[in-house]
Amino acid sequence: MAERVFVGLGANLGDAGATLDAALAELAALPETMLVAVSSRYRSAPVDAQGPDYLNAVAELSTAIEPLPLLRLLQAIESRHGRERPYRNAPRTLDLDLLLHGQRRCVTPELVLPHPRLHERAFVLLPLLELAPDLVHPDWGPLAPCAERVRDQRIERLI
């Protein structure tokens, strides 16, 4: 049974725009998956890190892939694009975050769903709300009011 899934995309090394385009094509090609929508692109400052600004977006998928196998597929896409993890919040060629997988909750060493900081990061929350303005978090309720709390974060909607 297909679930409504949201994936955050980000990159701040190399040709970030081309990398996001390629990653979106790879998401669309996943088995049992349809790319439903993609947000505008946003430029945002790194959070708790140094380095160039990020290019961010959120993709909405409809997929029958379970959360942990989907996470592994996302990590494989990151690896194909040169993702390295030398330290926490390091600059990256590609970051794919599984934000929401339907209304599922999951807490494992590998994966926490819903993403525990999605309501605290403008670069995730604003593109997510662009795609689904009435989205309801399974624990906190409507996400739209959270946008007020991230107003002080530097972010620019590009296209």
Side-chain angles (χ1 to χ4, degrees), residues 47-80:
V47 176
D48 300 328
Q50 300 293 318
D53 285 354
Y54 277 86
L55 190 61
N56 299 99
V58 168
E60 180 181 345
L61 308 175
S62 176
T63 187
I65 303 171
E66 292 291 314
L68 282 171
L70 180 58
L71 175 66
R72 291 184 190 102
L73 290 168
L74 298 179
Q75 291 171 337
I77 293 170
E78 289 176 335
S79 292
R80 285 194 293 276

Side-chain angles (χ1 to χ4, degrees), residues 38-45 53-58 122-133 151 153-159:
V38 180
S39 73
S40 300
R41 301 235 172 133
Y42 291 77
R43 182 184 332 275
S44 66
D53 285 354
Y54 277 86
L55 190 61
N56 299 99
V58 168
F123 65 85
V124 172
L125 186 61
L126 298 182
L128 180 61
L129 289 172
E130 178 186 325
L131 292 179
R151 290 177 73 82
Q153 295 176 25
R154 185 168 62 81
I155 187 167
E156 174 189 5
R157 184 177 174 184
L158 301 176
I159 53 172

